[in-house]
Amino acid sequence: MATDSKAPLIEIEGLTKRFGAFTAVDNVSFTVSRGEVLGFLGPNGAGKSTTMRMLAGFMTPTAGTARICGHDVQTDSVAARRTLGFLPEGAPTYPEMTVEAFLAFVASIRGYGGKEAARRIARAIELTTLQGVRLQPVETLSKGFKRRVGLAQSLLHDPPVLVLDEPTDGLDPNQKHEVRTLINQMAPEKAIVISTHILEEVEAICTRAIIIARGKVLADATPAELVKRHPSGKLDDVFRNITQPKAA
Amino acid sequence: MRNTMIVARRELGGYFATPVAVVFIVIFLALQGVLTFNMGNFFDRNQADLAPFFNFVPWVFLLLVPAITMRLWAEERRLGTIELLLTLPITQGQAVVGKFLAAWAFCAIALALTFPFVLTVNYLGNPDNGVIATGYLGALLVAGAFLSIGSALSAATKNQVIAFVLAVAVCFLFAVASYPVVTDFLSKTVPTLAEVARRLSVAERFQGFTRGVVSLRDIIYFASFIGFWLYLNTVIVEHRKAD
C-alpha cells in the first residue's frame, strides 16, 4: 500500500521496450491516481499490451520503470503484483478448470483461505454475473463468459490498481454495459487502466484518455478535451487524426 | 513454499482433469508389464527380485516422461496462461518448482501403481524388499532427472512436439552416456571426456540403487542434476516468457 494517499497509484517513467531494432514502446511516462479511469487507446501494434505487460511485471523493460502503489515492478515485483489486478490480453484461463476451481486457485495464491476465500469468490462471481456457470469448465464457456472469468480473477482481491487489457472485447452489448457499470462503480476507490478499441467506451467510462501509436504517447487529455480537437466533435475523427498524421 | 505447493496442486489436478493421466498410467503399466514379464524373463530367471523391472524403468521413462513435461510450459505459452500465472504474486522460481513437483508427484503415483509387481515377487519367493525399496527410490530420482530436463526444454518453445523430441534426445544422451557406444568413441578421441560422460550418466547412477546401494554421492548427483536443470528452466522462463 502507498504510504502517501495522495501519491499516484501507478507511476510510469520513461518506459521503453525494444525487440531487436523495433521499438514497441518508446519512452512512455504517465501517472494514474486513485479515482481515475484511464483509457489506453491506439491502433493494433501501437504498444498498448506491451506497456501493460511491463506494468504487470510480465515483460522486462529495456529502459525506464514503473511503480504500482510505490512498489517498483522490477525490483519489488511480487509486492507490486499483490496490489494489482491484471486482465491479460485475451483473458487467458486454464481451460480444464471449472470457474469456481479457477477462482479458488487464484484466491489461494493471493493468500486467502477458508471462509474469506469463499466470500471473495462469491463476490467476484456476483460482480461479473457468473453464477450460472460456476461449476462449468472454462473451456465449455462462450467468449463473453471467459472474458468475465478473467475479470473476476482480477477483482478477487479488491486491488487498489486495476489494469485491464480489452475487458469488453467479445462481450455482447448487455454484457458490455454491465462491465462498464461495474468499472464506474469501482472507479472512485481505484486507479484503473483499460485498453480498448471501442471509442464510445472511452466517453462512457474514462476520466482520461491516452492515445498511443508506434510506441509513443501522442495525446493525454480528458475525453471532453479530446473531442474538441476535431471540428466534427467525434472521438473517431480525433483518433484517426492523431494516429495517422500524414493521412489527415 | 506455500505458493509452490498451490501451483503444484493445480498442475497435478490438471493431469487428472484431462485424459493425460489415465493414458499415461495405463501405457506406463502396460509397457512395464510387457517388458518385465516377456522381454525381461521375469519367470524364467527363477530369482525373487525385480531386476528385470528396474532394468527397463529408465527406458520407459525416457519415452514417457517427456510426454508429461512437453506441456508443462509450452502449453502455458500457447494458451497465454503463462501471462496470468506469472503476473500473480509468485516468483518464477516458485512457479518452476511447483510445476516440476506436480509432474514428479505424478510419476510417483505411476510408480506406486506398479505395486502388483512387488506383490507378485513376494508371493512367488522371498525377495530382498530393501533392494526393491532402493530400486524404487532410484527410479523416482531418474524420473526427477528426466522431468527437470523436459521441463526446462518445454519452456524454450511454444510447440509441444518440439519440446517432446528435444527432451527425448537430451534424456537419451544422459541415459546412454555410460554405454560403450559413447565411452568407446570418447576414449578413442577425447579420453578425459569418457570418464566425465560415465560419471554424468543417469543410467550408471541408477545401477547402484537397483543393487540396494544408496550412496550419498549418487543422491548429491541427482539433487544437483535436478537443481541445475530447474535453474536453467527458471532462466529460460525469464528470457522467453513473453516471446
Side-chain angles (χ1 to χ4, degrees), chain A residues 53 58 81 92 94 108 153, chain B residues 2 76 86 88 90 241:
Chain A
R53 281 176 177 164
F58 183 63
R81 279 180 266 153
Y94 293 104
S108 57
Q153 162 275 125
Chain B
R2 202 183 144 269
E76 294 261 359
L86 296 181
L88 290 172
I90 58 171
K241 60 187 176 185

Side-chain angles (χ1 to χ4, degrees), chain B residues 4 9 13 25-26 43 59 64-65 67 73 77 84 154 160 170 176 190 195 206 212 219 225 232 234:
Chain B
T4 308
R9 211 179 310 140
I25 288 174
V26 168
F43 294 111
W59 303 105
L64 291 184
V65 160
W73 289 99
R77 285 170 49 148
L84 177 93
S154 173
Q160 298 199 17
V170 176
V176 299
V190 244
E195 185 56 22
F206 178 54
I219 299 280
F225 191 96
L232 195 65
T234 314

Side-chain angles (χ1 to χ4, degrees), chain A residues 53 56-60 78 81 86 88 92-97 102 105 108-111 153, chain B residues 2-3 6 10 14 17 76 79-91 238 241-242:
Chain A
R53 281 176 177 164
F58 183 63
M59 272 184 180
T60 316
V78 172
R81 279 180 266 153
F86 179 53
T93 41
Y94 293 104
E96 77 281 355
M97 295 182 100
F102 174 69
F105 162 68
S108 57
I109 285 272
R110 296 262 180 213
Q153 162 275 125
Chain B
R2 202 183 144 269
N3 287 342
I6 296 167
R10 196 214 67 75
E76 294 261 359
L79 290 171
T81 44
I82 188 169
E83 193 169 346
L84 177 93
L85 181 68
L86 296 181
T87 53
L88 290 172
I90 58 171
T91 65
E238 170 66 37
K241 60 187 176 185

Side-chain angles (χ1 to χ4, degrees), chain B residues 13-237:
Chain B
Y15 294 139
F16 289 96
T18 58
V20 173
V22 175
V23 170
F24 179 90
I25 288 174
V26 168
I27 299 289
F28 173 71
L29 294 179
L31 265 179
Q32 274 303 133
V34 169
L35 290 172
T36 306
F37 289 128
N38 296 28
M39 287 179 71
N41 291 323
F42 177 76
F43 294 111
D44 299 340
R45 287 172 76 247
N46 242 336
Q47 285 180 33
D49 63 19
L50 281 182
F53 173 82
F54 287 120
N55 281 341
F56 287 112
V57 158
W59 303 105
V60 172
F61 275 156
L62 174 64
L63 203 64
L64 291 184
V65 160
I68 307 178
T69 55
M70 68 179 191
R71 56 187 291 287
L72 271 186
W73 289 99
E75 177 82 348
E76 294 261 359
R77 285 170 49 148
R78 195 181 61 79
L79 290 171
T81 44
I82 188 169
E83 193 169 346
L84 177 93
L85 181 68
L86 296 181
T87 53
L88 290 172
I90 58 171
T91 65
Q92 282 165 34
Q94 288 167 343
V96 166
V97 176
K99 277 172 160 289
F100 167 77
L101 286 181
W104 209 9
F106 181 68
C107 282
I109 293 170
L111 267 177
L113 287 175
T114 61
F115 70 91
F117 291 93
V118 184
L119 296 183
T120 308
V121 78
N122 271 289
Y123 175 74
L124 294 173
N126 290 308
D128 184 341
N129 281 316
V131 174
I132 292 179
T134 59
Y136 271 106
L137 176 65
L140 197 59
L141 290 172
V142 169
F146 287 167
L147 283 169
S148 63
I149 293 174
S151 180
L153 294 173
S154 173
T157 173
K158 225 181 243 187
N159 187 316
Q160 298 199 17
V161 178
I162 293 175
F164 176 79
V165 174
L166 279 180
V168 171
V170 176
C171 290
F172 182 74
L173 215 62
F174 280 101
V176 299
S178 66
Y179 279 57
V181 57
V182 176
T183 46
D184 285 358
F185 171 75
L186 282 178
S187 41
K188 274 180 212 144
T189 47
V190 244
T192 41
L193 273 184
E195 185 56 22
V196 174
R198 206 178 59 75
R199 281 174 189 276
L200 277 179
S201 165
V202 170
E204 177 83 3
R205 298 283 173 177
F206 178 54
Q207 283 309 311
F209 289 93
T210 62
R211 288 192 290 264
V213 184
V214 180
S215 74
L216 185 63
R217 219 183 264 183
D218 292 342
I219 299 280
I220 291 172
Y221 163 80
F222 276 111
S224 33
F225 191 96
I226 293 169
F228 168 77
W229 283 97
L230 289 186
Y231 175 72
L232 195 65
N233 192 347
T234 314
V235 172
I236 295 173
V237 167

